[in-house]
PDB file of all heavy atoms in Angstrom:
ATOM      1  N   SER A   1      -4.408  12.262 -27.394  1.00 96.00           N
ATOM      2  CA  SER A   1      -5.231  11.639 -26.362  1.00 96.00           C
ATOM      3  C   SER A   1      -4.793  10.204 -26.101  1.00 96.00           C
ATOM      4  O   SER A   1      -4.884   9.352 -26.997  1.00 96.00           O
ATOM      5  CB  SER A   1      -6.704  11.642 -26.785  1.00 96.00           C
ATOM      6  OG  SER A   1      -7.455  10.781 -25.953  1.00 96.00           O
ATOM      7  N   PRO A   2      -4.342   9.882 -24.885  1.00 95.00           N
ATOM      8  CA  PRO A   2      -3.989   8.488 -24.586  1.00 95.00           C
ATOM      9  C   PRO A   2      -5.175   7.539 -24.780  1.00 95.00           C
ATOM     10  O   PRO A   2      -4.990   6.385 -25.178  1.00 95.00           O
ATOM     11  CB  PRO A   2      -3.541   8.536 -23.121  1.00 95.00           C
ATOM     12  CG  PRO A   2      -3.136   9.954 -22.885  1.00 95.00           C
ATOM     13  CD  PRO A   2      -4.060  10.771 -23.735  1.00 95.00           C
ATOM     14  N   LEU A   3      -6.377   8.025 -24.510  1.00 97.00           N
ATOM     15  CA  LEU A   3      -7.553   7.161 -24.660  1.00 97.00           C
ATOM     16  C   LEU A   3      -7.835   6.846 -26.126  1.00 97.00           C
ATOM     17  O   LEU A   3      -8.168   5.706 -26.467  1.00 97.00           O
ATOM     18  CB  LEU A   3      -8.768   7.817 -24.008  1.00 97.00           C
ATOM     19  CG  LEU A   3      -8.731   7.894 -22.479  1.00 97.00           C
ATOM     20  CD1 LEU A   3      -9.956   8.634 -21.963  1.00 97.00           C
ATOM     21  CD2 LEU A   3      -8.647   6.498 -21.863  1.00 97.00           C
ATOM     22  N   VAL A   4      -7.703   7.838 -26.999  1.00 97.00           N
ATOM     23  CA  VAL A   4      -7.874   7.580 -28.429  1.00 97.00           C
ATOM     24  C   VAL A   4      -6.784   6.638 -28.923  1.00 97.00           C
ATOM     25  O   VAL A   4      -7.049   5.661 -29.634  1.00 97.00           O
ATOM     26  CB  VAL A   4      -7.849   8.898 -29.228  1.00 97.00           C
ATOM     27  CG1 VAL A   4      -7.843   8.612 -30.737  1.00 97.00           C
ATOM     28  CG2 VAL A   4      -9.032   9.776 -28.871  1.00 97.00           C
ATOM     29  N   LYS A   5      -5.553   6.911 -28.527  1.00 96.00           N
ATOM     30  CA  LYS A   5      -4.416   6.135 -29.024  1.00 96.00           C
ATOM     31  C   LYS A   5      -4.437   4.686 -28.528  1.00 96.00           C
ATOM     32  O   LYS A   5      -4.080   3.765 -29.262  1.00 96.00           O
ATOM     33  CB  LYS A   5      -3.107   6.830 -28.622  1.00 96.00           C
ATOM     34  CG  LYS A   5      -2.898   8.147 -29.351  1.00 96.00           C
ATOM     35  CD  LYS A   5      -1.935   9.083 -28.649  1.00 96.00           C
ATOM     36  CE  LYS A   5      -0.511   8.626 -28.755  1.00 96.00           C
ATOM     37  NZ  LYS A   5       0.033   8.812 -30.105  1.00 96.00           N
ATOM     38  N   THR A   6      -4.869   4.466 -27.286  1.00 97.00           N
ATOM     39  CA  THR A   6      -4.950   3.089 -26.795  1.00 97.00           C
ATOM     40  C   THR A   6      -6.121   2.348 -27.427  1.00 97.00           C
ATOM     41  O   THR A   6      -6.045   1.135 -27.654  1.00 97.00           O
ATOM     42  CB  THR A   6      -5.065   3.053 -25.260  1.00 97.00           C
ATOM     43  OG1 THR A   6      -6.106   3.941 -24.830  1.00 97.00           O
ATOM     44  CG2 THR A   6      -3.752   3.463 -24.606  1.00 97.00           C
ATOM     45  N   ALA A   7      -7.205   3.055 -27.724  1.00 96.00           N
ATOM     46  CA  ALA A   7      -8.324   2.422 -28.423  1.00 96.00           C
ATOM     47  C   ALA A   7      -7.883   1.931 -29.796  1.00 96.00           C
ATOM     48  O   ALA A   7      -8.230   0.814 -30.217  1.00 96.00           O
ATOM     49  CB  ALA A   7      -9.491   3.393 -28.556  1.00 96.00           C
ATOM     50  N   ILE A   8      -7.096   2.754 -30.491  1.00 97.00           N
ATOM     51  CA  ILE A   8      -6.598   2.351 -31.809  1.00 97.00           C
ATOM     52  C   ILE A   8      -5.641   1.178 -31.681  1.00 97.00           C
ATOM     53  O   ILE A   8      -5.663   0.246 -32.493  1.00 97.00           O
ATOM     54  CB  ILE A   8      -5.943   3.551 -32.507  1.00 97.00           C
ATOM     55  CG1 ILE A   8      -7.021   4.585 -32.860  1.00 97.00           C
ATOM     56  CG2 ILE A   8      -5.194   3.116 -33.760  1.00 97.00           C
ATOM     57  CD1 ILE A   8      -6.486   5.894 -33.392  1.00 97.00           C
ATOM     58  N   ALA A   9      -4.822   1.181 -30.625  1.00 96.00           N
ATOM     59  CA  ALA A   9      -3.939   0.031 -30.383  1.00 96.00           C
ATOM     60  C   ALA A   9      -4.749  -1.238 -30.177  1.00 96.00           C
ATOM     61  O   ALA A   9      -4.343  -2.337 -30.598  1.00 96.00           O
ATOM     62  CB  ALA A   9      -3.052   0.297 -29.167  1.00 96.00           C
ATOM     63  N   GLY A  10      -5.904  -1.096 -29.540  1.00 96.00           N
ATOM     64  CA  GLY A  10      -6.783  -2.244 -29.311  1.00 96.00           C
ATOM     65  C   GLY A  10      -7.722  -2.523 -30.465  1.00 96.00           C
ATOM     66  O   GLY A  10      -8.623  -3.368 -30.353  1.00 96.00           O
ATOM     67  N   GLU A  11      -7.523  -1.793 -31.585  1.00 96.00           N
ATOM     68  CA  GLU A  11      -8.317  -1.969 -32.813  1.00 96.00           C
ATOM     69  C   GLU A  11      -9.803  -1.748 -32.563  1.00 96.00           C
ATOM     70  O   GLU A  11     -10.668  -2.424 -33.108  1.00 96.00           O
ATOM     71  CB  GLU A  11      -8.039  -3.342 -33.431  1.00 96.00           C
ATOM     72  CG  GLU A  11      -6.576  -3.519 -33.783  1.00 96.00           C
ATOM     73  CD  GLU A  11      -6.215  -4.877 -34.352  1.00 96.00           C
ATOM     74  OE1 GLU A  11      -7.024  -5.810 -34.200  1.00 96.00           O
ATOM     75  OE2 GLU A  11      -5.133  -4.994 -34.959  1.00 96.00           O
ATOM     76  N   ASP A  12     -10.073  -0.741 -31.717  1.00 95.00           N
ATOM     77  CA  ASP A  12     -11.438  -0.395 -31.344  1.00 95.00           C
ATOM     78  C   ASP A  12     -11.774   0.988 -31.900  1.00 95.00           C
ATOM     79  O   ASP A  12     -11.144   1.979 -31.543  1.00 95.00           O
ATOM     80  CB  ASP A  12     -11.556  -0.387 -29.807  1.00 95.00           C
ATOM     81  CG  ASP A  12     -12.921   0.067 -29.319  1.00 95.00           C
ATOM     82  OD1 ASP A  12     -13.873   0.073 -30.127  1.00 95.00           O
ATOM     83  OD2 ASP A  12     -13.031   0.412 -28.125  1.00 95.00           O
ATOM     84  N   ALA A  13     -12.766   1.057 -32.765  1.00 95.00           N
ATOM     85  CA  ALA A  13     -13.199   2.339 -33.337  1.00 95.00           C
ATOM     86  C   ALA A  13     -14.086   3.063 -32.325  1.00 95.00           C
ATOM     87  O   ALA A  13     -15.287   3.247 -32.528  1.00 95.00           O
ATOM     88  CB  ALA A  13     -13.944   2.094 -34.640  1.00 95.00           C
ATOM     89  N   ASN A  14     -13.480   3.503 -31.255  1.00 94.00           N
ATOM     90  CA  ASN A  14     -14.225   4.080 -30.137  1.00 94.00           C
ATOM     91  C   ASN A  14     -14.438   5.573 -30.386  1.00 94.00           C
ATOM     92  O   ASN A  14     -13.636   6.415 -29.991  1.00 94.00           O
ATOM     93  CB  ASN A  14     -13.449   3.856 -28.832  1.00 94.00           C
ATOM     94  CG  ASN A  14     -14.266   4.171 -27.603  1.00 94.00           C
ATOM     95  OD1 ASN A  14     -15.100   5.065 -27.620  1.00 94.00           O
ATOM     96  ND2 ASN A  14     -14.024   3.434 -26.535  1.00 94.00           N
ATOM     97  N   TRP A  15     -15.548   5.905 -31.058  1.00 95.00           N
ATOM     98  CA  TRP A  15     -15.796   7.295 -31.406  1.00 95.00           C
ATOM     99  C   TRP A  15     -16.089   8.163 -30.182  1.00 95.00           C
ATOM    100  O   TRP A  15     -15.903   9.363 -30.214  1.00 95.00           O
ATOM    101  CB  TRP A  15     -16.931   7.400 -32.419  1.00 95.00           C
ATOM    102  CG  TRP A  15     -18.272   6.921 -31.911  1.00 95.00           C
ATOM    103  CD1 TRP A  15     -19.178   7.631 -31.192  1.00 95.00           C
ATOM    104  CD2 TRP A  15     -18.815   5.619 -32.053  1.00 95.00           C
ATOM    105  NE1 TRP A  15     -20.265   6.854 -30.890  1.00 95.00           N
ATOM    106  CE2 TRP A  15     -20.081   5.603 -31.418  1.00 95.00           C
ATOM    107  CE3 TRP A  15     -18.384   4.441 -32.668  1.00 95.00           C
ATOM    108  CZ2 TRP A  15     -20.902   4.488 -31.357  1.00 95.00           C
ATOM    109  CZ3 TRP A  15     -19.192   3.323 -32.633  1.00 95.00           C
ATOM    110  CH2 TRP A  15     -20.434   3.349 -31.979  1.00 95.00           C
ATOM    111  N   GLY A  16     -16.508   7.541 -29.100  1.00 95.00           N
ATOM    112  CA  GLY A  16     -16.754   8.299 -27.878  1.00 95.00           C
ATOM    113  C   GLY A  16     -15.499   8.983 -27.386  1.00 95.00           C
ATOM    114  O   GLY A  16     -15.553  10.114 -26.872  1.00 95.00           O
ATOM    115  N   ARG A  17     -14.361   8.334 -27.534  1.00 97.00           N
ATOM    116  CA  ARG A  17     -13.094   8.939 -27.126  1.00 97.00           C
ATOM    117  C   ARG A  17     -12.702  10.088 -28.053  1.00 97.00           C
ATOM    118  O   ARG A  17     -12.082  11.063 -27.616  1.00 97.00           O
ATOM    119  CB  ARG A  17     -11.999   7.872 -27.081  1.00 97.00           C
ATOM    120  CG  ARG A  17     -12.257   6.832 -25.991  1.00 97.00           C
ATOM    121  CD  ARG A  17     -11.146   5.806 -25.893  1.00 97.00           C
ATOM    122  NE  ARG A  17     -11.399   4.887 -24.779  1.00 97.00           N
ATOM    123  CZ  ARG A  17     -10.584   3.907 -24.423  1.00 97.00           C
ATOM    124  NH1 ARG A  17      -9.440   3.721 -25.100  1.00 97.00           N
ATOM    125  NH2 ARG A  17     -10.866   3.121 -23.410  1.00 97.00           N
ATOM    126  N   VAL A  18     -13.066   9.969 -29.317  1.00 98.00           N
ATOM    127  CA  VAL A  18     -12.806  11.065 -30.253  1.00 98.00           C
ATOM    128  C   VAL A  18     -13.677  12.269 -29.901  1.00 98.00           C
ATOM    129  O   VAL A  18     -13.208  13.411 -29.894  1.00 98.00           O
ATOM    130  CB  VAL A  18     -13.061  10.608 -31.703  1.00 98.00           C
ATOM    131  CG1 VAL A  18     -12.845  11.770 -32.670  1.00 98.00           C
ATOM    132  CG2 VAL A  18     -12.150   9.437 -32.070  1.00 98.00           C
ATOM    133  N   VAL A  19     -14.941  12.011 -29.586  1.00 97.00           N
ATOM    134  CA  VAL A  19     -15.840  13.096 -29.158  1.00 97.00           C
ATOM    135  C   VAL A  19     -15.259  13.806 -27.936  1.00 97.00           C
ATOM    136  O   VAL A  19     -15.259  15.040 -27.841  1.00 97.00           O
ATOM    137  CB  VAL A  19     -17.248  12.549 -28.840  1.00 97.00           C
ATOM    138  CG1 VAL A  19     -18.125  13.641 -28.219  1.00 97.00           C
ATOM    139  CG2 VAL A  19     -17.899  11.991 -30.094  1.00 97.00           C
ATOM    140  N   MET A  20     -14.757  13.023 -26.985  1.00 97.00           N
ATOM    141  CA  MET A  20     -14.132  13.589 -25.789  1.00 97.00           C
ATOM    142  C   MET A  20     -12.978  14.511 -26.168  1.00 97.00           C
ATOM    143  O   MET A  20     -12.865  15.642 -25.666  1.00 97.00           O
ATOM    144  CB  MET A  20     -13.628  12.452 -24.898  1.00 97.00           C
ATOM    145  CG  MET A  20     -12.811  12.884 -23.693  1.00 97.00           C
ATOM    146  SD  MET A  20     -11.031  13.199 -24.032  1.00 97.00           S
ATOM    147  CE  MET A  20     -10.497  11.592 -24.628  1.00 97.00           C
ATOM    148  N   ALA A  21     -12.110  14.053 -27.081  1.00 98.00           N
ATOM    149  CA  ALA A  21     -10.927  14.824 -27.463  1.00 98.00           C
ATOM    150  C   ALA A  21     -11.310  16.097 -28.205  1.00 98.00           C
ATOM    151  O   ALA A  21     -10.665  17.143 -28.047  1.00 98.00           O
ATOM    152  CB  ALA A  21      -9.996  13.965 -28.311  1.00 98.00           C
ATOM    153  N   VAL A  22     -12.356  16.031 -29.020  1.00 98.00           N
ATOM    154  CA  VAL A  22     -12.845  17.230 -29.707  1.00 98.00           C
ATOM    155  C   VAL A  22     -13.375  18.227 -28.678  1.00 98.00           C
ATOM    156  O   VAL A  22     -13.052  19.420 -28.704  1.00 98.00           O
ATOM    157  CB  VAL A  22     -13.956  16.868 -30.724  1.00 98.00           C
ATOM    158  CG1 VAL A  22     -14.610  18.145 -31.270  1.00 98.00           C
ATOM    159  CG2 VAL A  22     -13.393  16.020 -31.855  1.00 98.00           C
ATOM    160  N   GLY A  23     -14.150  17.740 -27.756  1.00 97.00           N
ATOM    161  CA  GLY A  23     -14.778  18.616 -26.767  1.00 97.00           C
ATOM    162  C   GLY A  23     -13.810  19.298 -25.836  1.00 97.00           C
ATOM    163  O   GLY A  23     -14.044  20.435 -25.402  1.00 97.00           O
ATOM    164  N   LYS A  24     -12.703  18.637 -25.515  1.00 97.00           N
ATOM    165  CA  LYS A  24     -11.754  19.220 -24.552  1.00 97.00           C
ATOM    166  C   LYS A  24     -10.751  20.179 -25.204  1.00 97.00           C
ATOM    167  O   LYS A  24      -9.976  20.829 -24.501  1.00 97.00           O
ATOM    168  CB  LYS A  24     -10.982  18.111 -23.829  1.00 97.00           C
ATOM    169  CG  LYS A  24      -9.898  17.452 -24.674  1.00 97.00           C
ATOM    170  CD  LYS A  24      -8.997  16.559 -23.837  1.00 97.00           C
ATOM    171  CE  LYS A  24      -7.845  16.025 -24.674  1.00 97.00           C
ATOM    172  NZ  LYS A  24      -6.872  15.261 -23.883  1.00 97.00           N
TER     173      LYS A  24
END
């Protein structure tokens, strides 16, 4: 997921993006 990977690059524990990736 580009959104998960960019969040990690930005040092943001954005669990919403992980939920998105699980759901899709």
Side-chain angles (χ1 to χ4, degrees):
S1 167
L3 290 177
V4 173
K5 291 159 73 73
T6 50
I8 292 173
E11 301 178 344
D12 176 17
N14 191 327
W15 64 84
R17 294 183 176 182
V18 178
V19 172
M20 173 277 300
V22 171
K24 75 169 186 174

